Structures are given as C-alpha cells and as structure tokens.
Amino acid sequence: MRDLLGQVLELLPDQAVALARIIDRTGAGPRETGAAMVVTGDGRVLGSLSGGCVESAVLTTADQVLLDGRASLERFAAADQLTVGLPCGGEIEVFVERLDHTDLPALRALHTALEVHHPVAYATTLEARPDRKLLRPGDCAPWRGLDHDAAALLAAGHNGLIGAQECTPGLAERPRTFVQVFRSPARMILAGANDYTRALTVAAANLGYHVTVVDARETFTTPSRFPAADEVVVDWPHRYVEAEQSAGRIDERTVLCVLTHDPKFDVPLLATALRLPATAFIGALGSRRAHADRTARLREAGVPDTEIARVRSPLGLDLAANTPEETAISILAQILATRGNATAQPLADLDGPIHRRPD
C-alpha cells in the first residue's frame, strides 16, 4: 500500500477507486499481508496481489465494489484445474473496499507520516461499510474496543488481524479488523548459539519480533541451526550491540537476552546493554548462583547496583519449564508481562476484564 499511496491521493479528488489488500496469508504465497492493488473506474490497475494468480477474480470483485460501495472479502486457496487460486499451495484472504474523496484527510495524514518516517498504523474494519482509523504511538482515544489491540501491533511493528474471530463476526462487539503497520518490527537480540536460543527464536518470530542470534563461536553460529532467526551473526555479542547502537538500530522496543552461561560473553554484553539509552527488556538465563557470580563481576567492571538490578535473572516466569521449548514460553511470558506492565497472575484470580487496558 505504501508504494501506491501517492497515486491514490492523485486519483481520489476526481474519482473513486477500489483498494484490494491481502489481509491474511497461510502457507506459501507470492506476497505478504498489506500488499495492495488499486482498480480505477475506467479499468486501470495499479500494483498486484499475486503476480497474476488471482488478479482477474479480484478485478471482477473490484468492479462490483465500485458500483455499490459495499466492501467484499475473498479467500483464495491452492488452485486446481477448475478454480482460480495460488499455484504455490498457500492461501490468502483479500479485502476489497471503495475509497473516495471522503477518505482523503486520513490518507493524506498517513502519507505525511510515512514521508517523515514516523511510525503509524492504518486500521480498517472488515465490514461492508468499513470504519477506518489512523493510529500513532501514544494514541489513547477509544475506538470500537479495538484501540489497545491495534496499539500493541503498532508497538510490535507488524500487521495483524484483531477483533472478532471469523466464525462469529456478526455477533462480536469488536468487528474483525485489519491493522496495517508502517514501522520496522521490534527487535530481539539473543546472545548465545544453543538449543534454548533456537527455541526462543521460533517463539519470538511468531510474535513478530525481528530476531538476531549473535555468538563469537563460528562453529555453532550458523543459519542452518537457527532457521527461524532473521539474522545469525558471528561476532562478540557486546561488540555487535555497540555497533547496532551506533547505527541507530536499537530503540525502546528492543529486547536483549543473554543465553550463553559464559562470563567472558555475559559480563561485557550486560555491561554494554545497561549503558544503552533505551531498551525494553534485558534478561540473562541461568541459576541464582550464576547470576550472583555475574553480579559480582559486573560490580568489578564498575556497573552500579542500580543498573545491575535492571537485569531480569533468573530469566522467565515460574511455569515449571524444563525443556528449551518450555523455557522459551516462560521467557516470552515475562517479556510480555513486562511490556504491558501486567501482573503475570492467573486471569481467574483477577477482577475485571481479561483484556486489561495497559496502564
């Protein structure tokens, strides 16, 4: 949608257009969620959704949407000889809606935010007559019970569906809604090339984190061992983090976890991480004895106790986790609770709504 926005703004003062976007994808697919195609009233097509696999069917839908103004939701699965679909075997859901001059203020605001590289999200309810909302970090105005879910996606930096489940959209108070986020994903930097790191990369990737694994041991630090990671870097972790900070690629959403169990890696990295101007979470895996040893070494390195106290260690919540996969869930649960300033208590023991509004 970003690439087509300027052209849409040029068209809307004079004519309506149909905007088709991929709002969900399962399995292999030619393009990611948010990919867009625009159809004008005179039959021009801008952009693409699949490189030709489903465009003809979407064109027919777009013509009807332009005619009656009612949005349409289409699902395309693997193609066979008799149906339109995806030869790659995946499945996509496409939402087609009508845009006209009344949508110009919000789209112009979106365009302005993108030009100055400000993070922003564009939320659209998947209704016959869609409701739309532009969200920026810090926005707290209520919007159909969806504002906090949309804000969470904006903070994480990835697109997503919120609201009603597909099976009961008409009965839900919060309509099913696609949130398209224009922001780089939140980062998770994992120091240590081991089985716990591999399990955590898989779980964190499912939450939308851009995951980097870094370790100085070249033998263990290979992409084949960490297929779910976005980056696998052979370097001393503290040196890598210093370089990333200098490049401006660490911010207040960045999670940094030390999983090495080795003081020669742990201590320089934690000392570096605690000097960073902004991070979301700093954790270190290990026993209480291991953390006591790390604490003593950090003091010897000149790190004050007030800074050492920011390190979450032993890392994770008490879930009786033992395997790497269970430990990954324990760690992510603590990260989520910290991010949302939540209690991490059982929901059954708390009063009020289960989807608690952040403080």
Side-chain angles (χ1 to χ4, degrees), residues 113-114 116-121 135-137 154 181-184:
L114 296 180
V116 295
H117 306 291
H118 285 175
V120 65
L135 300 104
R136 298 177 176 85
L154 176 55
V181 174
F182 301 89
R183 185 180 200 178
S184 60

Side-chain angles (χ1 to χ4, degrees), residues 65 68-73 95-98 125-132:
V65 168
D68 62 22
R70 294 179 61 84
S72 178
L73 198 58
F95 187 66
V96 188
E97 59 188 303
R98 185 180 189 271
T125 63
L126 306 183
E127 300 170 300
R129 305 290 182 182
D131 193 5
R132 305 175 183 94

Side-chain angles (χ1 to χ4, degrees), residues 212-271:
T212 300
V213 175
V214 56
D215 196 309
R217 300 169 298 176
E218 186 173 358
T219 301
F220 303 106
T221 315
T222 63
S224 62
R225 292 194 68 217
F226 303 95
D230 296 282
E231 299 174 296
V232 178
V233 178
V234 178
D235 199 352
W236 284 84
H238 72 280
R239 189 166 61 188
Y240 172 78
V241 168
E242 288 171 350
E244 291 299 286
Q245 173 62 29
S246 298
R249 291 191 286 264
I250 293 178
D251 62 21
E252 73 284 352
R253 300 176 298 147
T254 301
V255 171
L256 196 151
C257 292
V258 179
L259 308 170
T260 53
H261 296 89
D262 189 333
K264 69 175 179 288
F265 292 112
D266 294 5
V267 174
L269 177 56
L270 287 172

Side-chain angles (χ1 to χ4, degrees), residues 20 43 110 144 207 233 267-268 272 296 326 348:
L110 173 60
R144 304 191 66 174
L207 293 185
V233 178
V267 174
T272 298
E326 291 171 345

Side-chain angles (χ1 to χ4, degrees), residues 8-17 99-101 103-104 107:
V8 170
L9 289 174
E10 292 178 0
L11 292 167
L12 286 187
D14 302 316
Q15 62 174 300
V17 302
L99 300 177
D100 59 29
H101 67 278
D103 298 297
L104 278 170
L107 293 176

